[in-house]
């Protein structure tokens, strides 16, 4: 089976197992997803979803976030960890969105990457979920599962993204990545993957090599 064929079979299996491929971070506005994703670094999405309603209630506009007191904002996001750097990035990002992008979240990769605290994972998530553009979001679940499955042998997110971009149908890539998160949480955990219960056992490189 070629890697493209393997990818298509895995997409099919994941679509059957997880019909709803939605972002696990809650948001109402594009910039809220941007900031929620920043908060999710080294933190669970569930924790972020508890914090963001408080954050966006206290600062209901981009202008309010841009003008926030960093100590106060840090206190609100404290439980997400790395609160000082996250607060600094969120405030700086809000200011840059207002100053350079008219208060709108841009869709261009280079524009997104110019924002404080935004890397390729976040930029791809925004492009896919907010703008409906083809995107490959390489998070820890994507890295782990695609390597185990044999879709890539690369180690860095950038190279894995490039590999997946070459083999995934682009119109399916965004939802595929969302489903990998669900599969990683439910079955293909970092420690002790439940291979005996997995829908992918017949095509998984790791499983077949054991
Ligand atoms: S068979 Fe095991 S390693 Fe392979 S995808 Fe399933 S849980 Fe992960």
């Amino acid at each position: 089976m070629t890697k493209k064929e393997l990818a298509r079979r895995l997409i099919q299996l994941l679509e059957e197992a997880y019909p709803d491929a939605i972002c696990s971070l809650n948001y109402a506005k594009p910039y809220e997803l941007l900031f929620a994703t920043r908060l999710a670094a080294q933190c669970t999405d569930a924790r972020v979803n508890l914090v963001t309603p408080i954050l966006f209630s206290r600062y209901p506009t981009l202008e309010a976030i841009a003008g926030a007191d960093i100590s106060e904002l840090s206190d609100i996001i404290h439980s997400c960890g790395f609160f000082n750097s996250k607060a600094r990035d969120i405030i700086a990002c809000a200011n840059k969105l207002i100053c350079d992008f008219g208060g709108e979240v841009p869709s261009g990769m280079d524009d997104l990457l110019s924002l404080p605290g935004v890397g390729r994972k976040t930029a791809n998530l925004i492009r896919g979920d907010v703008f409906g553009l083809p995107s490959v979001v390489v998070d820890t679940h994507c890295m782990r599962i695609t390597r185990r499955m044999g879709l890539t042998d690369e180690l860095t997110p950038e190279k894995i993204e490039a590999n997946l971009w070459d083999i995934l149908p682009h119109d399916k890539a965004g939802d595929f990545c969302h489903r990998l998160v669900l599969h990683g949480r439910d079955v293909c955990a970092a420690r002790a993957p439940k291979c005996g219960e997995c829908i992918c056992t017949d095509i998984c490189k790791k499983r077949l090599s054991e």
Side-chain angles (χ1 to χ4, degrees), residues 10 145 148-149 183 187-189 193-196 198-202 204-207 210:
L10 179 56
I145 299 171
R148 285 177 173 172
M149 291 290 305
H183 188 59
V187 184
C188 192
K194 302 174 194 164
C195 299
C198 182
I199 52 174
C200 309
T201 46
D202 292 346
C204 176
K205 179 181 169 187
K206 176 182 183 307
R207 181 66 167 172
E210 288 173 348

Side-chain angles (χ1 to χ4, degrees), residues 37-112:
T37 309
R38 181 66 188 94
L39 292 176
Q42 310 293 317
C43 182
T44 65
D45 291 352
R47 164 57 54 188
V48 172
N49 286 337
L50 291 174
V51 168
T52 47
I54 301 167
L55 177 66
F56 299 134
S57 169
R58 172 65 185 86
Y59 306 106
T61 64
L62 193 58
E63 289 72 14
I65 296 170
D69 176 80
I70 191 166
S71 298
E72 187 183 338
L73 196 149
S74 294
D75 282 347
I76 294 171
I77 66 170
H78 188 277
S79 63
C80 295
F82 301 96
F83 48 91
N84 284 328
S85 59
K86 289 178 180 180
R88 188 182 60 238
D89 283 345
I90 287 169
I91 292 171
C93 187
N95 277 286
K96 188 166 177 70
L97 287 173
I98 291 167
C99 292
D100 294 355
F101 298 102
E104 302 290 334
V105 175
S107 62
M109 178 61 83
D110 289 344
D111 287 339
L112 284 163

Side-chain angles (χ1 to χ4, degrees), residues 82-197:
F82 301 96
F83 48 91
N84 284 328
S85 59
K86 289 178 180 180
R88 188 182 60 238
D89 283 345
I90 287 169
I91 292 171
C93 187
N95 277 286
K96 188 166 177 70
L97 287 173
I98 291 167
C99 292
D100 294 355
F101 298 102
E104 302 290 334
V105 175
S107 62
M109 178 61 83
D110 289 344
D111 287 339
L112 284 163
L113 292 176
S114 76
L115 298 170
V118 174
R120 290 193 69 84
K121 183 182 79 171
T122 302
N124 273 309
L125 184 68
I126 294 292
R127 282 167 59 80
D129 278 55
V130 173
F131 297 103
L133 296 167
S135 63
V136 176
V137 180
V138 180
D139 68 354
T140 184
H141 298 288
C142 178
M143 289 182 69
R144 180 177 70 256
I145 299 171
T146 56
R147 281 177 47 78
R148 285 177 173 172
M149 291 290 305
L151 289 173
T152 181
D153 297 318
E154 297 292 354
L155 294 169
T156 66
E158 293 77 13
K159 289 182 177 176
I160 292 173
E161 181 190 330
N163 272 185
L164 295 178
W165 184 253
D166 286 341
I167 60 175
L168 289 171
H170 290 178
D171 61 330
K172 302 262 188 185
D175 285 347
F176 171 75
C177 294
H178 283 320
R179 291 187 171 103
L180 286 181
V181 175
L182 300 175
H183 188 59
R185 286 179 184 156
D186 288 353
V187 184
C188 192
R191 293 179 195 172
K194 302 174 194 164
C195 299
E197 305 172 18

